[in-house]
Amino acid sequence: MWRRSASFILDQQQEKKSKALTSPSMDEPLQNPNLNNPNNISAYYQTRAAHYGVVTSDWLAQAQAAVGFDPVDAASEKGIRSVDSDKPFSVIDEFNHWRKLPDLAEAVAAILALASVIRSSKATTMMELESELKKASDSLKSWDTTSISLTAGCDLFMRYVTRTSALEYEDFDAAKLRLIERAEKFGEISRKARRTIAMLSQDFIFDGCTILVHGFSRVVLEVLKTAAQNKKLFRVLCTEGRPDRTGLRLSNELAKLDVPVKLLIDSAVAYTMDEVDMVFVGADGVVESGGIINMMGTYQIALVAHSMNKPVYVAAESYKFARLYPLDQKDLTPALRPIDFGVPIPSGVEVETSARDYTPPQYLTLLFTDLGVLTPSVVSDELIQLYL
C-alpha cells in the first residue's frame, strides 16, 4: 500500500522524469529498492500483503495513464485563475469560486483554494507561510463543520504540502516554489481521482448485471457512465433517497445515458435484493476502521446485501479518508436536514432528522479509490501512510 499512496506516486513520477534526462534505463517499473533484498522487508509489510492484493501496481498505473487530463484550460488544470490584485485575497472567496464549478467536489475546491493561498502569500519565512496555511485551512473547515470530506481534504493538503522543509533549500523562495509545485500536484491528483476510480471499477461490472445504488454520488455516476461508454449492458436500481430524492436525480442522469433504470422506494430494498448482483455506493467519508459514513439508509442496505451474500462496493476518493473512528451510529458529528412528510406533524412527535449513518467495515466488500482497490481492513494502513 505504501507504493499506492498519493505522495509516493507523485514523488516517484517526478523522480523518474528527472532521471530520464541522464539515465537511459528508466523505463523499468517503479520498485521499492528494499524488494531486491528480502531481508530488508519488515514482517509488517509482508503481512499487509495478505490483506491487500486485488489490484496490482501495474493496474493502478494503467488506470491513471488512461485518465489523462481534465478537459479544462491550462490555467484551470493547475488550479490557477486571475485574481484582482487590488482586492485582498480571501480563501473563502477563492473556495466559493471553485465550488461553483458543477463537477468539482467541495474538498477539491478547498484544495485549490489552499494552493492559491501559497501563491498569493507575502510571507518571508516558512514558519510564516505555514501559519497562513493553517489559518486558511481552519477557516475552510469552519465553513462547514459537518463536512467530513472538506475537513479530510484540508488536513491531507496540509500534511502533504508542508512535508517540504526550508532547510532543504538555500533560500525561502526556492522552498516556496517547491510548496506551490506540490500543491498543484495534489490538486491535480485530487481532480483526477473520480476518473481513476471509474477506470479501476470496470472489470467488476459485467454484462447483464443489475446494480443497486443509493443516493446521488458523482463518483458512482462516473463509474456507471464509464461502463455505459464502454458498451457494457447492465441495469440500475435507484432508491428514491428520501427526503431530498437524490435517487431520482441519479436516475435522470442515467436515463440520459440510455441506461435501463428502475426507481425503488427506500423501503423496497430487501424486496428487490434477490435481483441485485452488486451494490455501489459513494461515501461522505472513509474512517479508520474501514467503514464509511454516507447518506442515511446506506447501513441498512449493506445489512440486507450482506445477509443475502451480495457484494457491497464503495467508490470514494482518497481525500475523503478521515482520521475518525466512530464506535456507533450516535458517535458522529450531527448533520441534519429538513424532512417534510407532506402532512402536519403533532408538536409532541419527535422527528429523526439525521442525514447520514455509519456502515461498519464487515458489511463492505471492496473500496474503489484512486490509491487502488482496497479491502476495508487495509484502510487504516493507508491512513497511516497518508498522514505519516
Side-chain angles (χ1 to χ4, degrees), residues 139-154:
S139 296
L140 288 173
K141 289 192 285 187
S142 64
W143 183 84
D144 182 1
T145 57
T146 65
S147 176
I148 297 171
S149 62
L150 178 60
T151 298
C154 289

Side-chain angles (χ1 to χ4, degrees), residues 121-385:
S121 174
K122 305 299 183 184
T124 57
T125 66
M126 183 61 70
M127 184 174 293
E128 227 182 309
L129 180 55
E130 288 190 10
S131 177
E132 277 188 39
L133 275 175
K134 178 68 166 58
K135 184 177 179 180
S137 175
D138 290 344
S139 296
L140 288 173
K141 289 192 285 187
S142 64
W143 183 84
D144 182 1
T145 57
T146 65
S147 176
I148 297 171
S149 62
L150 178 60
T151 298
C154 289
D155 288 344
L156 282 170
F157 178 91
M158 292 294 294
R159 185 68 195 95
Y160 177 78
V161 171
T162 56
R163 283 176 176 171
T164 297
S165 170
L167 297 177
E168 300 174 19
Y169 301 91
E170 294 180 358
D171 55 40
F172 171 73
D173 290 338
K176 183 177 178 180
L177 287 175
R178 175 59 173 161
L179 281 181
I180 293 172
E181 179 187 340
R182 290 181 69 86
E184 290 174 354
K185 284 181 179 180
F186 191 79
E188 180 181 337
I189 197 171
S190 298
R191 289 197 301 279
K192 290 182 177 181
R194 199 178 299 158
R195 289 179 294 144
T196 301
I197 293 167
M199 296 298 298
L200 287 173
S201 65
Q202 293 309 297
D203 284 352
F204 292 80
I205 300 176
F206 53 88
D207 282 338
C209 70
T210 297
I211 303 171
L212 175 67
V213 297
H214 180 58
F216 185 89
S217 166
R218 282 177 290 193
V219 66
V220 171
L221 176 59
E222 188 70 24
V223 167
L224 300 177
K225 180 180 178 181
T226 303
Q229 291 171 342
N230 290 339
K231 307 300 182 184
K232 295 197 175 186
L233 303 176
F234 61 96
R235 70 172 183 144
V236 179
L237 304 182
C238 289
T239 58
E240 181 189 7
R242 288 277 294 164
D244 44 12
R245 305 178 76 185
T246 50
L248 182 59
R249 179 185 170 195
L250 182 62
S251 67
N252 290 339
E253 294 295 328
L254 293 172
K256 295 176 185 177
L257 301 172
D258 294 325
V259 174
V261 183
K262 182 178 182 181
L263 269 174
L264 311 174
I265 58 174
D266 294 335
S267 56
V269 168
Y271 174 77
T272 57
M273 188 60 74
D274 59 342
E275 304 176 32
V276 173
D277 293 298
M278 67 191 75
V279 177
F280 250 107
V281 296
D284 289 345
V286 180
V287 298
E288 291 183 73
S289 64
I292 62 169
I293 298 171
N294 195 40
M295 177 182 176
M296 182 65 72
T298 303
Y299 182 31
Q300 62 194 27
I301 290 174
L303 282 170
V304 173
H306 181 76
S307 69
M308 300 179 71
N309 295 317
K310 308 290 185 177
V312 178
Y313 299 138
V314 179
E317 302 91 328
S318 60
Y319 55 73
K320 293 181 178 178
F321 280 36
R323 301 178 75 178
L324 299 172
Y325 204 108
L327 300 177
D328 55 38
Q329 298 299 326
K330 304 302 185 290
D331 195 18
L332 301 174
T333 303
L336 309 179
R337 58 182 174 178
I339 297 180
D340 181 11
F341 289 99
V343 295
I345 304 298
S347 59
V349 175
E350 184 180 358
V351 176
E352 177 60 68
T353 57
S354 298
R356 59 196 183 198
D357 59 24
Y358 165 61
T359 304
Q362 61 266 34
Y363 303 113
L364 306 176
T365 308
L366 291 172
L367 291 92
F368 294 87
T369 78
D370 49 296
L371 305 180
V373 181
L374 314 179
T375 58
S377 62
V378 86
V379 168
S380 60
D381 286 346
E382 281 297 338
L383 273 163
I384 290 171
Q385 295 303 315

